Amino acid sequence: MTSHIRRATTAALILTVALAASACTTTKETSTLDAKHASEQMQSLVRDTMEVAGGKWTSASNGPAADPCTTPDGGKGVWFSWDQDAAGPSDPEAAMQRVDRAWRNKGLATRTQSVKRADGLTLHRVGSAGREVDSIQFNATTGRMSINVESLCGSGDVDDFTQH
């Protein structure tokens, strides 16, 4: 092997090790969200979505439901789900577009879809995942609107968020 090739190989190895070390450092510096903040963040997004979509919303439960999860760093955590329902709007596609625009304005990546259902209604939906919440989906037909959401996993003990 020539010295030129050895130097290039050594430089590539050093760069690889440096990149791997910086990736580990970045990951370790990322703090885990606490469960209370994860719940508040999720509830805020749901309330904003209900306001943008319009209508009178009803919770499928008496507030967010808490379940245990494992945080990204392997610790005990809590995630929350909170489903909402409302009567369908006269223009469900416009409701979907308003929600999509509001989420994108918050910096969320979105995906929209409109599909014809077996009952003849067109279901308009928009979804997002991984930033403010683990996942959220808004659905609208002329008959009904719904929001289905799961918060991010926040550090904490599920017993602190459930009634005994």
Side-chain angles (χ1 to χ4, degrees):
M1 207 188 267
T2 67
S3 63
H4 179 10
I5 293 174
R6 267 190 240 130
R7 273 182 275 177
T9 303
T10 302
L13 180 60
I14 291 170
L15 179 62
T16 302
V17 170
L19 289 172
S22 70
C24 290
T25 301
T26 302
T27 302
K28 288 181 181 176
E29 289 175 5
T30 302
S31 63
T32 301
L33 186 69
D34 68 74
K36 184 177 183 220
H37 186 75
S39 177
E40 290 168 350
Q41 189 168 283
M42 178 268 301
Q43 289 181 56
S44 177
L45 181 59
V46 169
R47 286 187 178 104
D48 291 349
T49 302
M50 290 187 295
E51 185 176 319
V52 167
K56 183 177 178 180
W57 292 85
T58 304
S59 177
S61 62
N62 187 18
D67 285 298
C69 60
T70 303
T71 63
D73 63 3
K76 282 180 27 174
V78 184
W79 67 267
F80 302 87
S81 59
W82 197 30
D83 297 341
Q84 305 287 331
D85 293 300
S90 59
D91 189 349
E93 184 175 12
M96 175 197 69
Q97 290 170 351
R98 288 192 307 273
V99 169
D100 179 53
R101 187 172 36 258
W103 289 358
R104 283 186 287 117
N105 288 341
K106 290 180 173 287
L108 303 176
T110 63
R111 181 169 183 247
T112 61
Q113 181 182 35
S114 296
V115 294
K116 191 80 151 179
R117 296 186 338 182
D119 63 4
L121 296 176
T122 300
L123 173 64
H124 301 279
R125 67 172 53 139
V126 59
S128 185
R131 184 169 168 168
E132 297 279 319
V133 294
D134 185 57
S135 67
I136 187 167
Q137 185 166 306
F138 170 81
N139 304 290
T141 67
T142 53
R144 178 175 175 255
M145 292 188 291
S146 67
I147 300 169
N148 308 98
V149 63
E150 292 180 359
S151 75
L152 295 171
C153 180
S155 63
D157 188 332
V158 72
D159 290 339
D160 295 336
F161 298 93
T162 56
Q163 295 183 5
H164 303 284

